[in-house]
Amino acid sequence: MGWWQLDADTLARSRFTLSPFAETFASLQLLHTGTGAHPGEEVWLRAHLPGYRALLAADPVIAQLVRAGLGTSWIADFLAPLPRDGEPLEETLARLRATDPAVARANLRVSLAGPLPAALERDDLPERASALMTYVWTETVRPHWERRRRILEADVVARTAQVSRGGWAAVLDSLKPGQTRWLGDNRLQVNVHEYPPFDISGAELVLMPVTTGRGWVSWERPERYALVYTCTGVLADHGARSTPAGISALLGPARAEVLVLLASPMSTSHLVAVTGHALGSVGRHLRVLLDAGLVERRRAGRSVLYERTAAGSVLVEASRRPDTYRS
């Protein structure tokens, strides 16, 4: 397994951050696999996969670059530069374009675990990679970015609240189940691959959610390291989640949807972003659920978070029977 050694100060200073570039790279991963993890991703793929495949067919060099760069178990480092705080996407892409061609080819040999195809022995790979990422952003991510950003913000709020309740160990264990795990003795497992451990003590550690993909690790050694993870499934799986029919009949479909979503803490604005309901409607649903004792609210920094109470969870779970689901 791959793990990082870090000191208490590094963990205490670690923080969540959002990145349009990370979201774009995660979308490239999904386009590359061509198979969604849930119906929401399948809908997105049906809309964008034909155009992506047409792009690859028109430029076989980019097609080989993607296959080599995403590799089998290791991403070519130059393809996924670590975004800097507040850095516009264009600046991240500029850094990608500025990669030394020899470094790019060396990274690709590592991801392939072997020699490069003859078509990739060239100096314009960074420019082609940047053009590809620009296409993915412009055609498949930017039209949905505002909503995706709010979903990512909702995940960060929920994770931050989890830190305050259960500490960093619980959060790190839940980021990528089965892959990330707090091992104790200041060790963080970041994946299940047999790679040498890194000592990142004193470095900056950032945690980046994306709405799709499998996540990855990124760095600018020795100063910055990032763990990219897929945000909470109920948030990422927009349009694919199921609300038990029984609770929908009892509370009404929209109010029941809000209650189901509040398995994790969310603010009013995040509920608006995730559900697509108007702010006033969400507020009215929350007031009814609060009065019924099915949700509770509390303040976390500048946000007011809502979450199901034990009674609300019992009601949701009691309604989950195989014959009562609707899509």
Side-chain angles (χ1 to χ4, degrees), residues 15-26 77-96 133 145 204-210 216-220 223-228:
R15 56 193 172 76
F16 293 92
T17 187
L18 307 185
S19 165
F21 180 85
E23 185 70 11
T24 302
F25 190 82
D77 289 351
F78 86 99
L79 278 182
L82 176 55
R84 296 165 182 167
D85 287 344
E87 181 179 60
L89 177 73
E90 293 75 14
E91 292 185 15
T92 311
L93 293 174
R95 290 197 289 121
L96 172 56
M133 297 302 295
W145 172 242
E204 179 185 18
L205 173 62
V206 294
L207 310 172
M208 291 184 186
V210 292
W216 63 93
V217 294
S218 183
W219 49 67
E220 288 182 355
E223 293 88 5
R224 301 181 69 227
Y225 292 78
L227 181 58
V228 184

Side-chain angles (χ1 to χ4, degrees), residues 36-236:
H38 54 68
E41 289 187 351
E42 292 292 347
V43 169
W44 183 85
L45 283 169
R46 284 196 294 272
H48 299 295
L49 199 53
Y52 172 74
R53 287 177 171 168
L55 174 70
L56 298 190
D59 192 334
V61 174
I62 286 185
Q64 291 202 47
L65 173 61
V66 172
R67 288 194 293 270
L70 297 187
T72 56
S73 62
W74 188 263
I75 297 168
D77 289 351
F78 86 99
L79 278 182
L82 176 55
R84 296 165 182 167
D85 287 344
E87 181 179 60
L89 177 73
E90 293 75 14
E91 292 185 15
T92 311
L93 293 174
R95 290 197 289 121
L96 172 56
R97 285 194 301 274
T99 303
D100 184 331
V103 171
R105 291 192 295 269
N107 289 170
L108 290 170
R109 293 187 186 98
V110 172
S111 64
L112 281 172
L116 283 183
L120 296 182
E121 292 288 357
R122 52 194 303 147
D123 286 344
D124 64 348
L125 297 180
E127 290 85 354
R128 287 176 181 267
S130 179
L132 172 64
M133 297 302 295
T134 299
Y135 168 85
V136 174
W137 163 256
T138 302
E139 298 298 325
T140 77
V141 178
R142 186 170 62 185
H144 317 285
W145 172 242
E146 285 307 307
R147 183 182 172 278
R148 289 192 185 198
R149 179 178 58 79
R150 291 186 179 94
I151 291 172
L152 297 172
E153 288 173 347
D155 183 85
V156 169
V157 170
R159 303 280 184 184
T160 303
Q162 188 180 7
V163 172
S164 66
R165 293 197 310 270
W168 274 107
V171 174
L172 295 171
D173 286 352
S174 68
L175 291 182
K176 296 166 64 178
Q179 296 195 56
T180 59
R181 188 158 59 97
W182 183 249
L183 302 173
D185 297 326
N186 292 333
R187 295 178 302 154
L188 169 61
Q189 177 181 316
V190 296
N191 55 43
V192 294
H193 303 305
E194 292 297 330
Y195 296 131
F198 294 153
D199 189 340
I200 69 169
S201 297
E204 179 185 18
L205 173 62
V206 294
L207 310 172
M208 291 184 186
V210 292
T211 64
T212 189
R214 296 170 295 175
W216 63 93
V217 294
S218 183
W219 49 67
E220 288 182 355
R221 292 179 181 164
E223 293 88 5
R224 301 181 69 227
Y225 292 78
L227 181 58
V228 184
Y229 67 94
T230 306
C231 70
T232 307
V234 72
L235 299 177

